[in-house]
Amino acid sequence: MGKFLLGTNWKMNKTTAEGLAYTDGLTDIIPKFPEYQFFICSPYVQLWKQRELIDSKKSTLMLGAQNVHYEDCGQFTGEISPVMLKEIGLDLLEIGHSERRQYYNETDYTVNKKVLAGLKHGFTTLICVGDYMQEKEFGVSAEVLAKQIKIALHGVDEKDLDRVWIAYEPYWAIGVQGIPAEPEVVDSLHTMMRGVLVDLYGERGKDVPLLFGGSVNIKNAVAYAKCQDVNGLFIGRAAWHTDTFEEIMTALREAGIR
Ligand code: 13P
């Protein structure tokens, strides 16, 4: 397993000016925390400028888009293709976030097409999976996540597995209405997801980073990071300011997370 991953999804927030100011600030902080690999997933319109800024600062910060289409080009008004994102020189594609699944008809099957397209074009793919509260209450979260992972990875060759990351983000834990997950739930579902990956890919399945996201903040970040098979945190609101993000980094370091 590589470095512990720490990243943020801005969703539909930050103008380009705000995004560049944040990126500038974060690239100044990152050298203080060499034990972590950082990434941000930003709105499309600022990716070119962010790429230039990150490169000009010779930063290790990985840059990703929040979505992608699965075709290289075509009659898909308003969509952005992996070829276009490749041209920017992005590192990462976030695929299947719960908000895309809930509001934009993203399905397990379109997620799979996007994963295959992203891998074909050389990206690391950050696949988001999650369960609804009702599924949690009915005790089927494990089955739901296993199904999502198996479909997302259908046809993914073992040789590409080093460019696959998976984030568990319970729908019920995300955003302003979110209820933070109990660390025990995260622990047990991450162990289960690791088992699914090992079933699919044998020993190689142990190397796929599993991230957790959903109402991660300074109060709970260490507890989540200490869970079995949590190899990174994917943070929304609590990382949208570099100072609160840095507090989390410091707390993780003090807890010995690597
Ligand atoms: P919050 O941390 O704001 O709940 O969002 C998490 C998220 O959606 C990361 O992708």
Side-chain angles (χ1 to χ4, degrees):
M1 190 65 63
K3 291 182 180 182
F4 193 84
L5 300 167
L6 282 179
T8 177
N9 174 18
W10 291 355
K11 313 191 180 188
M12 196 175 72
N13 292 291
K14 297 193 189 296
T15 63
T16 298
E18 290 165 350
L20 289 174
Y22 177 103
T23 306
D24 194 34
L26 185 60
T27 51
D28 287 341
I29 294 169
I30 283 174
K32 293 194 253 173
F33 296 89
E35 65 267 53
Y36 304 128
Q37 173 64 55
F38 292 91
F39 65 96
I40 46 181
C41 297
S42 319
Y44 288 130
V45 289
Q46 50 191 286
L47 290 170
W48 273 108
K49 282 186 180 283
Q50 281 181 298
R51 179 77 275 164
E52 284 168 13
L53 175 60
I54 292 165
D55 289 349
S56 76
K57 297 189 76 173
K58 297 191 170 32
S59 177
T60 57
L61 174 62
M62 292 174 77
L63 182 62
Q66 298 173 8
N67 183 32
V68 64
H69 198 276
Y70 47 81
E71 295 289 348
D72 288 357
C73 58
Q75 301 176 118
F76 300 105
T77 300
E79 289 290 315
I80 305 282
S81 88
V83 176
M84 298 167 187
L85 297 175
K86 188 81 200 157
E87 193 179 26
I88 304 175
L90 297 188
D91 307 292
L92 193 67
L93 298 178
E94 179 184 350
I95 297 173
H97 188 274
S98 72
E99 288 150 17
R100 299 225 44 97
R101 291 178 188 255
Q102 288 177 88
Y103 310 137
Y104 301 101
N105 301 326
E106 193 90 64
T107 68
D108 293 340
Y109 303 96
T110 54
V111 166
N112 174 244
K113 286 184 179 188
K114 292 178 179 198
V115 170
L116 292 172
L119 291 172
K120 182 179 92 177
H121 288 286
F123 294 99
T124 292
T125 54
L126 169 49
I127 305 165
C128 301
V129 296
D131 50 340
Y132 283 102
M133 179 51 96
Q134 206 174 14
E135 292 166 332
K136 179 179 193 276
E137 287 169 356
F138 277 69
V140 295
S141 300
E143 287 90 334
V144 169
L145 299 181
K147 173 173 171 262
Q148 289 180 4
I149 290 172
K150 285 180 186 171
I151 297 175
L153 295 180
H154 186 79
V156 171
D157 199 285
E158 194 183 307
K159 74 173 171 27
D160 293 327
L161 215 53
D162 58 349
R163 288 183 289 116
V164 171
W165 301 355
I166 296 178
Y168 170 44
E169 301 207 308
Y171 296 6
W172 44 271
I174 289 178
V176 283
Q177 314 284 5
I179 304 159
E182 306 87 338
E184 303 73 47
V185 169
V186 176
D187 194 276
S188 108
L189 288 173
H190 274 244
T191 302
M192 181 284 301
M193 293 195 296
R194 179 66 67 211
V196 171
L197 290 167
V198 170
D199 282 350
L200 290 174
Y201 294 102
E203 283 297 300
R204 290 291 313 278
K206 293 187 178 164
D207 297 331
V208 175
L210 294 173
L211 298 87
F212 177 72
S215 292
V216 173
N217 60 41
I218 185 67
K219 295 197 200 106
N220 58 27
V222 169
Y224 293 140
K226 281 186 170 171
C227 290
Q228 184 77 21
D229 286 305
V230 169
N231 313 115
L233 297 174
F234 194 19
I235 312 172
R237 289 156 296 153
W240 290 346
H241 296 281
T242 51
D243 52 354
T244 51
F245 197 6
E246 189 173 2
E247 280 170 23
I248 293 175
M249 299 170 203
T250 303
L252 292 171
R253 168 180 284 170
E254 284 170 1
I257 303 296
R258 337 200 119 239

